[in-house]
Amino acid sequence: MQLLENNLTRSATLKQRREKLAQLLEHPVILWSGAALSRNFPANRYPFRASSHFLYFAGLPLEKAAIRLYQGKLELFVDESSPESALWYGQMPTRDEIAAYIGADAAYPFSELSVVTAEAATIAVGDIKTYQQQCQLLQRQVAPANAPTGIDLELVKAIIRLRLTHDTEALNELKKAASVSVKAHQAGMQATPHSKTEAEVRGAIESVILAHNMQCAYGSIVTVHGEVLHNEQYDYRLESGDLLLADVGAETETGWASDITRTWPVTGKFSSTQRDIYDLVLAAHDACIEKIRPGVEYQDIHLLAAYVMASGLVDLGILKGNPADLVEMDAHALFFPHGIGHLLGLDVHDMEDLGDLAGYETGRSRSQRFGLGYLRLNRPLKAGMLVTIEPGFYQVPAILNHPQFRAKYEQVVNWSRLAKFADVRGIRIEDDVLVTESGTEVLTASLPNKADEIENLMA
Amino acid sequence: MQLLENNLTRSATLKQRREKLAQLLEHPVILWSGAALSRNFPANRYPFRASSHFLYFAGLPLEKAAIRLYQGKLELFVDESSPESALWYGQMPTRDEIAAYIGADAAYPFSELSVVTAEAATIAVGDIKTYQQQCQLLQRQVAPANAPTGIDLELVKAIIRLRLTHDTEALNELKKAASVSVKAHQAGMQATPHSKTEAEVRGAIESVILAHNMQCAYGSIVTVHGEVLHNEQYDYRLESGDLLLADVGAETETGWASDITRTWPVTGKFSSTQRDIYDLVLAAHDACIEKIRPGVEYQDIHLLAAYVMASGLVDLGILKGNPADLVEMDAHALFFPHGIGHLLGLDVHDMEDLGDLAGYETGRSRSQRFGLGYLRLNRPLKAGMLVTIEPGFYQVPAILNHPQFRAKYEQVVNWSRLAKFADVRGIRIEDDVLVTESGTEVLTASLPNKADEIENLMA
């Protein structure tokens, strides 16, 4: 790890964050960073990703470290790297250098953590070894992160309150991630006409993220089968007439994520059926962003997307009936079966380790409705929140051929008309939208999303 | 997962492997594939890597699966994907399709594994959750993979005997990995003169691996500070006069690895000091490969490299004395502190999960000598073994400034002469060398390694 010059803004921000936490919680807090996980043998490790809660307050992806936050102070617990490790890993910053960089009030060897664990709240981390250490050092069974109890629940609520809206430093990082992701998608569009496979386009996109010394925030989706919603394979050849869906986002060194989806024609030209549906998805996307401002319910944004989609599908002759009634019966979800988006921050689905505690306002829970149950965010929007807006249209065989759906929606779908749109298997358009006092700022706005613009970029 | 047409060669090879295992071991064997590990929240997963021992006999990276091998038969235990998962992950092959593809003799839901665990030998996998399941289903404490006991040790010995030499199907995969890695390094060389940072070159190299729908077999090293031996950061800018060291290898979909290092000048032209040392490292590399044939001790190959390095450093005026004596006192290890190479196969350090059980002939253990202790392989070579040959020269501050080394080697190093080679911080040249009946076949031979060839490629 190279520490760049001490960044006063950064350490001041970290101080602000822990002071805010202290206002919300009287208990001491200990957050663990976690440990790298091994791939096929111990020394062959996946790239280390520190816990997001740790990163939020510590600001650096330190491995096998913990911070204790109490009354606005931060104590760092981490071991110095051994002299032998300098041979293999080079000279690392000392504990004191790290402490100075992040503005810690004190720093100790990791072993000293055990003497200050009394009455501390924590959040369970994902890797089991570190989790076992949490339980051992706190001398209690720490509940899973998505079901905290007692002081841990209080801590989770306080952290959610902080992380739900982003400070300036966070926004700077989120904008960096967005900017690199935009360049990555542009590279993907431009590489597509010369590429023969999904894998080649993925290589072109991710190489831009790597070249900026960032990582992918999640497993990229780069596929001509966009109807497979979580398709993380890149086996298919690109065929003329295919649409390619790319859902790829960069993550900065300190863990802040971006999340962008674009869909473009393999040849660089949309067919007329593809363009009809593409323009409809974009209309839903634009209508949602237009509507976003503080106080608006995110679920209403989702329902607006559903309405625009239903309405447009009626206009295209694919659905039959009154758009509002169609949404009421979840007919839109035949083609748009997921939520309109989610929180974005240190995690691509921000704070999803906490289950729905962050995504759902206290007292709310997931709907049983087919058209609402997959919504990851159900809160009134506030200035400083960053959300994705990602409507889509998919022809998912598992849905469209499902006897139960087939029966329920037999009368409202014009199946023979739908058959004319066979070259539209999956379209999604996703941008990262910051809620501002006056409305929105789209962090990913510099990436074209109009069909004409995309065709021009690919020409 | 797309299953390509049933490959008869593949299933015949898998059958051969388990029949050979049955000849070596009477006990039934159960091998687990493992589960994907999560990154910052449960649904955000690292790319799944199945256990190499599982892959060797099952041939496909199935998740949460197990195979039972007994008397040459293979029973597969894996759950079908749920109908709901088709919505998100698409239509997956059925259990029977997978079983047919890999030539399984029978296939069952995973839960049925519990009734056939009696007296089965196994090898502990890396991910703790699966490991806990192994202990639970076998109703015993399974020892770590690097310290097996009883029937598990018998199994480990049998598997080592099989995996130490490669069959035709394995070699086909290893050659595919090598071929893509060669292209990746070529792309890196060609991208370097137009790149400003290590990260950009890394992006150019890894994009080729991704474009071939492969993964990196290990965390890439792409750095102008090659003297940091395990440097997995890409922070530095490329400066005129720097050498860039790239240690990057691809891994095929079924897990077979490649491992290549090249070192090239950022400007495309070696300085005269860089070329002197480069040519010496290449001479050591070539001498080792020249010497390899069945029956030769790998440690002698290592000592040959040490001798060539010591001899050349004497010729260059950096070391003083008789080369054989210098090697005897480990003076070469001041500049070449690691082993000459290791086994290569399904793991980049093949079977390193087993500690030194695979790398070291029974009865042998690591030397305490500075110049030998880091050797990962100490066996007589056999036809069909694949090893790396990777001599290097490094100026590691933690070694060269170490008071103990400084005192011990004060008289044999010409420090002022060494200072003239300050622009050579780290050089390594690594190829993948198959031991054949008649000598060797270098799987990575198509990638230039002569200084002139590299300059030409970069021109």
Side-chain angles (χ1 to χ4, degrees):
Chain A
M1 179 168 46
Q2 256 190 311
L3 291 185
L4 307 175
E5 304 162 38
N6 195 330
N7 181 332
L8 286 178
T9 317
R10 170 176 293 189
S11 64
T13 297
L14 296 175
K15 189 159 193 282
Q16 266 178 7
R17 290 178 188 167
R18 58 186 186 256
E19 284 172 352
K20 282 189 187 168
L21 181 69
Q23 287 163 18
L24 296 171
L25 195 76
E26 288 191 359
H27 275 275
V29 170
I30 301 177
L31 296 172
W32 272 257
S33 66
L37 299 169
S38 290
R39 210 167 164 267
N40 42 340
F41 57 93
N44 196 12
R45 311 180 336 155
Y46 288 107
F48 173 60
R49 176 51 155 77
S51 145
S52 294
H53 304 297
F54 177 91
L55 284 171
Y56 187 75
F57 292 102
L60 277 181
L62 307 172
E63 201 184 331
K64 295 186 180 175
I67 50 174
R68 184 170 178 273
L69 305 168
Y70 187 48
Q71 297 181 332
K73 306 282 188 198
L74 183 155
E75 294 167 302
L76 173 67
F77 296 84
V78 67
D79 287 330
E80 304 266 11
S81 57
S82 69
E84 292 73 38
S85 87
L87 163 60
W88 302 102
Y89 297 97
Q91 201 59 54
M92 303 298 277
T94 65
R95 182 190 303 121
D96 286 344
E97 285 167 347
I98 294 168
Y101 183 72
I102 68 175
D105 297 287
Y108 307 98
F110 192 85
S111 61
E112 296 194 22
L113 178 63
S114 63
V115 299
V116 293
T117 55
E119 294 183 50
T122 196
I123 301 178
V125 294
D127 75 279
I128 301 187
K129 281 194 186 168
T130 306
Y131 172 71
Q132 288 170 341
Q133 189 186 61
Q134 290 183 291
C135 296
Q136 189 208 325
L137 287 179
L138 296 176
Q139 296 183 290
R140 61 185 172 87
Q141 187 65 26
V142 176
N146 65 356
T149 57
I151 53 173
D152 296 344
L153 179 58
E154 284 180 56
L155 168 62
V156 159
K157 285 182 178 170
I159 284 185
I160 289 171
R161 201 153 142 195
L162 266 72
R163 286 182 56 188
L164 267 180
T165 60
H166 297 296
D167 54 36
T168 307
E169 180 74 4
L171 286 173
N172 286 342
E173 288 287 303
L174 290 161
K175 285 174 186 176
K176 272 196 256 174
S179 155
V180 168
S181 303
V182 164
K183 288 180 191 156
H185 278 261
Q186 283 169 336
M189 291 177 191
Q190 287 166 337
T192 299
H194 325 291
S195 298
K196 291 188 179 63
T197 61
E198 295 172 348
E200 287 177 50
V201 180
R202 178 197 178 201
I205 296 174
E206 292 194 8
S207 74
V208 174
I209 293 173
L210 296 177
H212 285 83
N213 212 8
M214 293 191 183
Q215 297 187 49
C216 290
Y218 51 95
S220 301
I221 300 170
V222 181
T223 183
V224 293
H225 284 278
E227 80 279 11
V228 180
L229 296 176
H230 288 178
N231 192 348
E232 290 185 22
Q233 299 190 61
Y234 318 97
D235 295 324
Y236 287 105
R237 293 183 65 81
L238 309 183
E239 307 288 351
S240 169
D242 282 344
L243 289 175
L244 183 125
L245 184 154
D247 186 345
V248 185
E251 177 181 289
T252 67
E253 205 191 349
T254 53
W256 297 88
S258 171
D259 186 1
I260 301 181
T261 308
R262 289 292 184 272
T263 308
W264 58 82
V266 159
T267 56
K269 290 283 172 198
F270 290 92
S271 74
S272 67
T273 41
Q274 289 169 343
R275 188 180 271 259
D276 283 344
I277 304 282
Y278 187 92
D279 287 347
L280 171 57
V281 175
L282 186 62
H285 166 276
D286 292 350
C288 290
I289 294 175
E290 180 71 23
K291 182 86 181 288
I292 288 178
R293 60 181 182 278
V296 169
E297 286 285 348
Y298 191 75
Q299 178 168 285
D300 288 343
I301 301 294
H302 175 77
L303 289 168
L304 173 61
Y307 181 85
V308 175
M309 288 300 299
S311 181
L313 291 173
V314 168
D315 293 345
L316 290 171
I318 293 172
L319 285 179
K320 298 180 281 187
N322 172 292
D325 296 342
L326 289 167
V327 170
E328 191 67 35
M329 69 186 292
D330 293 327
H332 65 279
L334 285 171
F335 304 103
F336 169 42
H338 60 70
I340 189 63
H342 49 79
L343 293 168
L344 178 62
L346 278 162
D347 309 302
V348 61
H349 297 162
D350 208 27
M351 298 181 271
E352 194 176 287
D353 62 317
L354 307 175
D356 280 337
L357 288 168
Y360 274 58
E361 184 82 1
T362 309
R364 298 183 187 175
S365 60
R366 296 268 181 152
S367 165
Q368 296 302 310
R369 269 181 63 181
F370 172 44
L372 281 177
Y374 292 111
L375 192 57
R376 286 194 159 88
L377 176 59
N378 186 342
R379 284 183 176 272
L381 295 170
K382 285 170 66 175
M385 275 186 180
L386 182 63
V387 299
T388 66
I389 290 298
E390 48 179 310
F393 172 94
Y394 316 90
Q395 297 203 48
V396 183
I399 294 178
L400 295 178
N401 299 331
H402 195 290
Q404 195 184 322
F405 291 132
R406 199 82 193 190
K408 177 167 180 190
Y409 299 111
E410 191 58 45
Q411 298 307 316
V412 299
V413 177
N414 182 335
W415 300 96
S416 61
R417 176 69 181 152
L418 177 63
K420 304 217 186 312
F421 292 83
D423 68 347
V424 192
R425 292 191 292 264
I427 289 175
R428 181 163 64 253
I429 305 170
E430 176 182 27
D431 281 296
D432 301 347
V433 181
L434 178 68
V435 185
T436 64
E437 294 295 348
S438 58
T440 59
E441 178 187 350
V442 180
L443 303 192
T444 48
S446 61
L447 183 64
N449 63 16
K450 293 189 175 55
D452 284 344
E453 292 171 342
I454 289 174
E455 288 186 349
N456 287 340
L457 190 71
M458 293 181 71
Chain B
M1 181 169 45
Q2 257 190 309
L3 292 185
L4 307 174
E5 300 163 40
N6 195 329
N7 180 333
L8 285 178
T9 317
R10 169 175 294 188
S11 65
T13 296
L14 296 175
K15 189 159 193 279
Q16 266 178 6
R17 290 178 188 167
R18 59 186 186 257
E19 284 172 351
K20 282 189 186 168
L21 181 69
Q23 286 163 20
L24 296 172
L25 195 76
E26 287 191 359
H27 275 274
V29 170
I30 301 177
L31 295 172
W32 272 256
S33 67
L37 298 169
S38 290
R39 208 167 164 266
N40 43 340
F41 57 93
N44 196 12
R45 311 181 334 156
Y46 288 106
F48 173 61
R49 176 52 154 77
S51 146
S52 293
H53 305 298
F54 177 92
L55 284 170
Y56 187 75
F57 293 102
L60 276 181
L62 307 172
E63 202 183 332
K64 294 186 181 176
I67 51 173
R68 183 170 179 274
L69 305 168
Y70 189 47
Q71 297 181 332
K73 304 283 188 199
L74 185 155
E75 295 167 303
L76 172 68
F77 297 84
V78 68
D79 288 331
E80 304 266 11
S81 57
S82 69
E84 292 73 37
S85 86
L87 163 58
W88 302 102
Y89 298 97
Q91 201 61 53
M92 303 297 278
T94 64
R95 182 189 303 121
D96 287 344
E97 285 166 347
I98 294 169
Y101 182 72
I102 67 174
D105 299 286
Y108 307 97
F110 192 85
S111 61
E112 296 195 22
L113 177 61
S114 64
V115 300
V116 292
T117 55
E119 295 182 50
T122 196
I123 301 178
V125 294
D127 76 278
I128 302 188
K129 281 194 186 167
T130 306
Y131 172 71
Q132 289 170 342
Q133 190 186 60
Q134 289 183 291
C135 295
Q136 188 208 325
L137 288 179
L138 295 176
Q139 297 182 291
R140 61 185 172 88
Q141 188 65 26
V142 175
N146 65 357
T149 56
I151 54 173
D152 297 344
L153 178 57
E154 283 180 57
L155 168 62
V156 159
K157 286 180 177 172
I159 284 185
I160 289 171
R161 203 155 143 196
L162 266 73
R163 287 181 56 190
L164 268 181
T165 59
H166 298 295
D167 55 36
T168 307
E169 180 75 4
L171 285 173
N172 286 342
E173 288 288 302
L174 289 161
K175 286 174 185 176
K176 270 196 255 173
S179 155
V180 168
S181 303
V182 164
K183 287 180 191 154
H185 278 262
Q186 284 169 337
M189 291 178 192
Q190 286 165 338
T192 299
H194 325 292
S195 297
K196 292 188 178 63
T197 62
E198 295 171 348
E200 287 176 50
V201 181
R202 179 198 178 200
I205 296 174
E206 292 193 8
S207 73
V208 174
I209 294 173
L210 296 176
H212 286 83
N213 211 9
M214 293 193 183
Q215 297 188 49
C216 290
Y218 51 95
S220 300
I221 299 171
V222 181
T223 183
V224 292
H225 284 279
E227 79 280 11
V228 180
L229 296 176
H230 289 177
N231 192 349
E232 290 185 23
Q233 300 192 59
Y234 319 96
D235 294 323
Y236 288 106
R237 293 182 65 81
L238 310 183
E239 307 290 350
S240 169
D242 283 344
L243 289 175
L244 184 125
L245 184 155
D247 186 344
V248 184
E251 177 180 289
T252 68
E253 204 190 350
T254 53
W256 297 89
S258 171
D259 186 0
I260 300 181
T261 308
R262 288 291 185 273
T263 308
W264 58 82
V266 158
T267 56
K269 289 284 173 198
F270 290 92
S271 74
S272 67
T273 41
Q274 289 170 344
R275 188 180 271 258
D276 282 344
I277 304 282
Y278 188 91
D279 287 348
L280 172 57
V281 175
L282 186 61
H285 166 277
D286 291 350
C288 289
I289 295 176
E290 179 72 23
K291 181 88 181 287
I292 289 179
R293 61 180 181 278
V296 170
E297 286 286 347
Y298 190 75
Q299 178 169 284
D300 289 341
I301 300 294
H302 175 77
L303 288 169
L304 173 61
Y307 181 85
V308 174
M309 289 301 298
S311 181
L313 291 173
V314 168
D315 293 344
L316 289 170
I318 294 173
L319 285 180
K320 298 180 284 188
N322 172 292
D325 296 342
L326 290 166
V327 170
E328 191 67 35
M329 69 187 291
D330 292 329
H332 66 278
L334 286 171
F335 304 102
F336 169 43
H338 60 70
I340 188 65
H342 49 80
L343 293 168
L344 178 62
L346 278 162
D347 309 302
V348 61
H349 296 162
D350 207 26
M351 298 181 270
E352 193 175 287
D353 64 316
L354 307 175
D356 280 337
L357 288 168
Y360 273 59
E361 184 81 0
T362 308
R364 298 184 187 175
S365 60
R366 295 268 181 153
S367 164
Q368 296 302 310
R369 270 180 62 181
F370 173 44
L372 282 176
Y374 292 111
L375 192 58
R376 285 193 161 91
L377 176 57
N378 186 343
R379 284 182 176 273
L381 295 171
K382 285 169 66 175
M385 275 186 180
L386 181 63
V387 299
T388 66
I389 291 298
E390 47 178 312
F393 172 95
Y394 317 89
Q395 297 203 48
V396 183
I399 294 178
L400 295 178
N401 300 331
H402 195 291
Q404 195 184 323
F405 291 133
R406 200 81 192 190
K408 178 168 179 189
Y409 300 111
E410 190 60 43
Q411 298 308 313
V412 300
V413 177
N414 183 335
W415 299 96
S416 62
R417 176 69 182 152
L418 178 62
K420 303 218 186 311
F421 292 83
D423 69 345
V424 193
R425 290 191 295 263
I427 289 175
R428 182 164 61 253
I429 305 169
E430 177 182 27
D431 280 295
D432 301 348
V433 181
L434 178 67
V435 184
T436 64
E437 294 295 347
S438 57
T440 60
E441 178 185 351
V442 180
L443 303 192
T444 49
S446 62
L447 183 63
N449 63 16
K450 293 189 176 55
D452 284 345
E453 291 171 343
I454 289 175
E455 288 186 350
N456 286 340
L457 190 71
M458 293 180 72

